[in-house]
Amino acid sequence: MIKVAKKITQLCIIATASSLMACGDVETKTDLTVIDPQQPVTDWQLVWSDEFDGTEIQTNNWTHEVNCTGGGNNEKQCYTENAENSFVSDGTLKLVALPAVDENPVQPYTSARIISKNKADFKYGRFEVKAKMPFGQGSFPAFWMMPTDEVYGGWPHSGEIDIVETVNLKVVNEEGIAENNIHGTLHYGESWPDNARSGKSYSLPDAVNPADDFHVYAIEWQEGEIRWYVDNYLYATQRKSELKTKADGEVLGLNHRGWFAEYYDAVTGDLTTYWDNAPYDQQFFMILNNAVGGDWAENTNNMNVDPTAFENGQTFEIDYIRVYECIQNTDTGKGCETVRGGYDQEATEDYPEGALVLGAAPNPPVAAIPVAPGAIFDVFSDTDTDFVAGHYAASGEIAIEELDLGGDHGIVKQFTFNTDEGLGYFQLAPGDVEDFRGYATLEFDIFVVNDNGADGFVIKMDCVHPCSSGDYAIDKPAQGVWTSYSILLADLVATPGSTLELSNVNTPLAFFPTWGNQKDFVAQIDNVRIVAAGESGSGTKVVTMLYDDAVTGDIVFNSYNPDGFVAATEMAEGDRGNVIEVVKTGATGNWYLESSAAPFDISLYPAGSELVFDMFVVSADAGVELYIKLDSGWPNVSDVIVDSSMLGEWQEVRINLQTLLADGNAFETGFADATNIVNPFVMEPTGIMTVKFDNIRYETPGSSEVDIALYDDAVTGNITFNSYNPDGFVVANEIAEVDRGNVIEVVKTGGTGNWYLDSSAAPFDISGYGVFSELVFDMYVVSADAGVELYIKLDSGWPNVSDVVVDSSALGEWQEVRINLQTLLADGNAFENGFADATNIINPFVMEPTGIMTVKFDNIRYVNK
């Protein structure tokens, strides 16, 4: 039974390595003549049942839940223990959903939910229900299980097992197909809204509907595995995650992505991720309920709740529930498996009978491997490597040629798309992988021979399907010129839905124009390589194109135009394609690109990033100035004046983003919020002006080094000042210092206490930072008693601390201190056993002198490289 908002969507994954395009959580068609279902083996022993043969619901088996809370899904029923909502007759249990009869009901419907908690609780076994389902838009019955004792924490930390659910049965779609899917699902993982689920839907053969007759729905649950059945046909298998390790125990990634658990470690008290049997290794109880509506049912099929479907009631009818124990091994539940061919294989187009469902476990933290700065791993250039150019096409093909262009590029690979559903790639032989931990960027050059109207461009990196970064959209390369890309591996790992394991890469580059519009796209690829941090000769990386012939993403044109002085027109211009012409005929108003539907977060863009655009000033009245702005909602605006004196020719304008962000609103107090740029490009002339714009974009420098500021004149993000100060020896003040802005001065007058930056509201995860990443800060030691040492620490909550002693002997001058983060993390707590947890840095900078010292700090930051 789903416990939070759930909306059915269809997600398509385009796989490489000759695997096929597949869609998750979609209808499964099965030819039962291909595989003969087996009956449960004889070693299943019946240990509990309710046959519902009497005249009453057995109170020694079941307890009614009575509430109107909506089941955690905004459902539309009150659960009662009234006889009209739940009763036993003619050998079956009926749970009936009815319209409420009260004049002002809390919910528009009444129904029933019964649970076996503390009356019938089980760990492992076979759980069967023979039932006939209700139907209609808004119908949502379920037979499911919840943990008796939430030993791993509240939902979903301790797990949930949905044996069978249906929604909106018999509702007919636009194609005339009646809803007949059943669903089997697990819920687990992190707290809502980051909770995880995985499961499978199944459509009964020959369009049979679960609401027309009784069917037997079951799970077989054993240690590390749960299997789902309907009428003894196994349609889904889920398993615990399996870590991939070296012989010495070093974790490299996942062999199988299954379920996982997150709960507080009993020894350390830290919230920890586990890839093992938890949470499905405890006792669970059974639940039967007949819900009406809710977030899932009401957002699926015909939407909302159809009152006519419930005017005479909808009945969830149960013939029996039976629980079996595997007597082969009662401790693990193993040895009685009812399996068939394909139960432990994923479904593909070539093998649709596969039942294995991938879970939602995150990648485990993997140690980085040191790589020389600037080192290049060659995937494809003029010389042969172990990587081979190939393609996948769902229809048609992609022709691949090797061409010798001479000059700077020499040998290239040319890909001609004779398909609308394909991708090209560079891939190792089956079974071979490379470890790219310690590297920083994926780089390649591309020359588009024929764009042919492609909508966009996507790349991905795979680590043996289905392990993948998933689709990563980049700015579409222009036709007729070589374009160089440098893409941070950390960005590919962090892409939503990514399962990329850098230790296990077999396809470092797959690429394609947007799926569905590829025909006759022709491109040449060169210099594919994986590059370590440092000077690599890489070109500029285009982070985000805002406008080039058309706006991108969710961006739209808009203006502030109270007096009607501003008119903006998109017009074609020669070799440029479309450009934007803005005509302003008076003093008020501006024009802008609006991204309020999906605001930009540019807070982590590295130093040197720029807002770049082409500009053509057609005309301007004397003295008129042109403001360019970043806007987070008035008055949270940053703006600069650009030189608009050159008339009648195109010019490229580059504005440093950090400089622009730091230059506040010229007309009212305010600064743009780098985490929430709702209008990423605003132009405002102070008077009459006509100007054209093209190629509006954000760019980062080619270096793969990224600064994450902790303190520079002020703290960033959710960071605050704090101290451990039991004896009152520590005082910290923010003071102004010429040419530096604000700095932090810490005065310690005794032996105990420290001062720190506190990010407990939003802890840092630095586990994916490169091997050469550093904690960097400026330090000025004003005074110190003889023999006093200065510890700098990373803190995940005492005693989970890593610390080093830094040289504080230089007095009276500013000095830059750089500490390698991996070195610091590996250096444990000097005062008690413990190490900082790289995934949960709650205090990202701690300073602790061992005695009397006065010291100033500035420009505290992490440098990821």
Side-chain angles (χ1 to χ4, degrees):
M1 188 66 171
I2 308 303
K3 292 185 62 95
V4 295
K6 175 176 177 182
K7 185 172 182 178
I8 295 296
T9 56
Q10 181 169 301
L11 303 175
C12 289
I13 301 169
I14 304 166
T16 63
S18 74
S19 54
L20 301 173
M21 186 174 71
C23 294
D25 198 23
V26 297
E27 183 177 322
T28 303
K29 298 291 187 182
T30 302
D31 182 358
L32 292 182
T33 64
V34 176
I35 298 174
D36 182 24
Q38 302 175 24
Q39 294 295 318
V41 298
T42 55
D43 285 336
W44 285 115
Q45 178 175 294
L46 185 68
V47 293
W48 184 94
S49 72
D50 197 330
E51 304 295 326
F52 304 110
D53 287 335
T55 58
E56 295 180 346
I57 296 173
Q58 297 299 308
T59 56
N60 60 326
N61 289 344
W62 305 100
T63 301
H64 277 90
E65 288 196 345
V66 178
N67 63 65
C68 298
T69 56
N73 302 298
N74 299 308
E75 296 157 11
K76 297 298 189 292
Q77 79 287 319
C78 283
Y79 287 127
T80 82
E81 54 186 349
N82 298 335
E84 62 266 26
N85 292 123
S86 59
F87 57 92
V88 172
S89 67
D90 301 321
T92 64
L93 167 69
K94 284 88 170 173
L95 305 182
V96 186
L98 293 162
V101 295
D102 294 347
E103 190 168 315
N104 294 299
V106 177
Q107 298 283 9
Y109 300 93
T110 62
S111 190
R113 170 162 150 167
I114 59 175
I115 67 174
S116 70
K117 186 175 183 179
N118 298 321
K119 296 178 178 180
D121 308 83
F122 303 94
K123 174 185 171 183
Y124 307 141
R126 180 178 171 99
F127 300 80
E128 292 182 353
V129 62
K130 184 176 182 180
K132 181 180 178 182
M133 299 296 183
F135 57 91
Q137 180 65 40
S139 177
F140 181 18
F143 176 46
W144 51 302
M145 303 181 75
M146 288 288 284
T148 305
D149 301 306
E150 295 183 329
V151 298
Y152 301 118
W155 189 90
H157 293 275
S158 293
E160 173 184 329
I161 305 171
D162 297 335
I163 300 173
V164 60
E165 299 175 289
T166 63
V167 291
N168 309 331
L169 289 177
K170 293 194 175 184
V171 172
V172 179
N173 64 18
E174 294 177 355
E175 287 76 36
I177 299 172
E179 174 66 59
N180 76 328
N181 281 289
I182 61 171
H183 306 269
T185 310
L186 295 179
H187 296 261
Y188 47 86
E190 301 176 45
S191 299
W192 184 89
D194 298 318
N195 50 294
R197 72 172 185 269
S198 51
K200 191 172 184 179
S201 59
Y202 176 79
S203 177
L204 272 64
D206 303 319
V208 169
N209 202 292
D212 286 337
D213 204 347
F214 286 90
H215 296 273
V216 177
Y217 307 96
I219 62 165
E220 290 182 358
W221 168 27
Q222 65 189 49
E223 184 179 80
E225 182 173 295
I226 304 174
R227 299 176 297 278
W228 280 258
Y229 303 80
V230 57
D231 296 332
N232 288 328
Y233 178 74
L234 188 159
Y235 72 90
T237 302
Q238 295 202 60
R239 289 176 170 167
K240 69 176 183 178
S241 295
E242 180 185 340
L243 292 174
K244 180 188 303 173
T245 60
K246 289 184 176 180
D248 62 3
E250 180 188 356
V251 175
L252 296 176
L254 289 173
N255 273 329
H256 173 69
R257 189 177 307 281
W259 68 65
F260 73 102
E262 182 188 82
Y263 55 91
Y264 289 95
D265 184 276
V267 176
T268 67
D270 293 335
L271 191 62
T272 305
T273 299
Y274 296 86
W275 294 265
D276 55 20
N277 294 316
Y280 303 108
D281 59 354
Q282 303 293 321
Q283 285 201 332
F284 278 59
F285 63 90
M286 296 174 288
I287 306 171
L288 285 163
N289 68 283
N290 189 8
V292 181
D295 298 312
W296 183 8
E298 292 184 54
N299 287 287
T300 310
N301 302 110
N302 290 347
M303 315 296 279
N304 303 314
V305 176
D306 178 9
T308 64
F310 294 87
E311 58 188 2
N312 297 316
Q314 282 293 337
T315 301
F316 182 18
E317 189 171 3
I318 298 95
D319 187 8
Y320 63 75
I321 294 175
R322 296 170 183 169
V323 180
Y324 299 83
E325 183 179 68
C326 179
I327 59 175
Q328 287 278 357
N329 191 325
T330 57
D331 290 335
T332 66
K334 295 181 179 181
C336 302
E337 296 86 346
T338 310
V339 296
R340 61 166 177 84
Y343 90 99
D344 57 353
Q345 295 177 249
E346 290 178 66
T348 65
E349 190 168 304
D350 288 338
Y351 193 75
E353 307 303 335
L356 186 62
V357 177
L358 289 184
N363 288 333
V366 177
I369 295 177
V371 178
I376 296 174
F377 187 103
D378 188 21
V379 175
F380 169 76
S381 59
D382 284 350
T383 57
D384 289 335
T385 71
D386 292 332
F387 292 87
V388 176
H391 80 278
Y392 161 74
S395 61
E397 66 171 4
I398 300 173
I400 303 174
E401 304 171 76
E402 185 170 277
L403 306 178
D404 190 346
L405 303 183
D408 292 337
H409 283 277
I411 296 172
V412 303
K413 294 288 186 181
Q414 179 167 292
F415 294 76
T416 301
F417 283 71
N418 299 310
T419 178
D420 280 327
E421 301 175 313
L423 52 83
Y425 55 76
F426 292 88
Q427 188 176 79
L428 285 169
D432 292 342
V433 295
E434 285 290 347
D435 189 338
F436 291 135
R437 291 174 294 164
Y439 287 88
T441 56
L442 162 65
E443 300 184 359
F444 65 95
D445 300 338
I446 183 170
F447 182 95
V448 176
V449 179
N450 183 21
D451 176 273
N452 207 40
D455 298 321
F457 199 74
V458 175
I459 66 100
K460 62 191 300 185
M461 179 178 286
D462 283 357
C463 39
V464 186
H465 176 73
C467 177
S468 173
S469 68
D471 295 351
Y472 184 87
I474 62 176
D475 181 54
K476 188 178 72 172
Q479 182 172 301
V481 295
W482 279 101
T483 303
S484 298
Y485 289 94
S486 178
I487 299 159
L488 289 171
L489 299 184
D491 286 350
L492 295 177
V493 171
T495 301
S498 172
T499 57
L500 180 61
E501 297 171 358
L502 293 177
S503 63
N504 197 43
V505 174
N506 70 322
T507 309
L509 174 65
F511 63 92
F512 54 97
T514 304
W515 198 262
N517 186 21
Q518 303 177 339
K519 187 80 169 156
D520 297 325
F521 183 92
V522 182
Q524 296 165 356
I525 304 288
D526 195 17
N527 297 328
V528 183
R529 53 196 182 176
I530 309 296
V531 182
E535 294 301 322
S536 66
S538 63
T540 297
K541 174 192 171 188
V542 178
V543 175
T544 304
M545 181 62 71
L546 307 178
Y547 177 88
D548 180 17
D549 287 338
V551 290
T552 60
D554 294 298
I555 295 173
V556 295
F557 291 176
N558 212 334
S559 66
Y560 168 66
N561 197 13
D563 302 309
F565 293 146
V566 179
T569 305
E570 191 174 55
M571 56 191 296
E573 176 145 330
D575 296 334
R576 285 191 164 267
N578 293 334
V579 302
I580 304 158
E581 183 178 69
V582 184
V583 179
K584 186 171 181 184
T585 57
T588 56
N590 60 34
W591 178 89
Y592 54 94
L593 297 177
E594 180 187 334
S595 62
S596 57
F600 284 85
D601 181 351
I602 61 174
S603 60
L604 296 183
Y605 280 22
S609 297
E610 296 174 306
L611 167 61
V612 187
F613 55 91
D614 297 340
M615 179 175 74
F616 185 108
V617 181
V618 179
S619 62
D621 277 7
V624 172
E625 294 181 308
L626 176 59
Y627 282 86
I628 301 296
K629 310 182 179 189
L630 299 178
D631 184 356
S632 301
W634 189 264
N636 302 311
V637 173
S638 295
D639 53 43
V640 294
I641 296 172
V642 297
D643 183 0
S644 57
S645 61
M646 183 189 302
L647 303 183
E649 64 181 77
W650 283 99
Q651 56 183 305
E652 183 183 75
V653 180
R654 291 182 168 269
I655 305 170
N656 181 280
L657 280 173
Q658 281 73 25
T659 302
L660 176 51
L661 285 165
D663 203 332
N665 190 335
F667 304 98
E668 191 168 323
T669 302
F671 289 85
D673 175 2
T675 68
N676 185 44
I677 304 297
V678 296
N679 303 317
F681 177 82
V682 185
M683 63 81 63
E684 183 168 339
T686 57
I688 296 173
M689 176 181 282
T690 298
V691 60
K692 294 184 283 191
F693 296 96
D694 195 15
N695 299 328
I696 305 170
R697 60 201 187 273
Y698 292 153
E699 288 187 0
T700 67
S703 169
S704 60
E705 186 171 290
V706 179
D707 281 8
I708 299 94
L710 307 178
Y711 177 89
D712 183 14
D713 287 339
V715 289
T716 60
N718 292 297
I719 295 173
T720 59
F721 291 177
N722 212 332
S723 66
Y724 168 67
N725 197 13
D727 302 310
F729 293 145
V730 179
V731 177
N733 291 298
E734 193 172 50
I735 63 175
E737 180 142 326
V738 177
D739 296 332
R740 282 193 167 264
N742 293 334
V743 302
I744 304 158
E745 183 177 69
V746 183
V747 179
K748 186 171 181 184
T749 56
T752 56
N754 60 35
W755 178 89
Y756 55 95
L757 298 177
D758 183 343
S759 63
S760 55
F764 282 81
D765 181 349
I766 62 174
S767 60
Y769 284 19
V771 70
F772 300 104
S773 299
E774 296 173 305
L775 168 61
V776 185
F777 54 92
D778 297 341
M779 179 175 74
Y780 185 109
V781 181
V782 178
S783 62
D785 277 8
V788 172
E789 293 183 311
L790 176 58
Y791 282 85
I792 300 297
K793 311 182 179 188
L794 300 179
D795 184 356
S796 300
W798 188 265
N800 301 311
V801 172
S802 295
D803 54 43
V804 295
V805 176
V806 297
D807 183 0
S808 56
S809 59
L811 303 183
E813 62 182 69
W814 282 100
Q815 55 184 307
E816 183 181 75
V817 180
R818 306 185 78 95
I819 306 170
N820 181 278
L821 280 172
Q822 275 69 30
T823 301
L824 177 50
L825 285 165
D827 202 332
N829 190 334
F831 304 98
E832 190 167 323
N833 290 334
F835 290 84
D837 175 1
T839 68
N840 185 45
I841 304 297
I842 60 175
N843 302 316
F845 176 83
V846 184
M847 64 80 64
E848 182 169 339
T850 57
I852 295 173
M853 177 181 281
T854 299
V855 59
K856 294 184 284 190
F857 297 96
D858 195 14
N859 299 328
I860 306 170
R861 61 199 186 276
Y862 291 153
V863 180
N864 184 5
K865 60 181 183 177

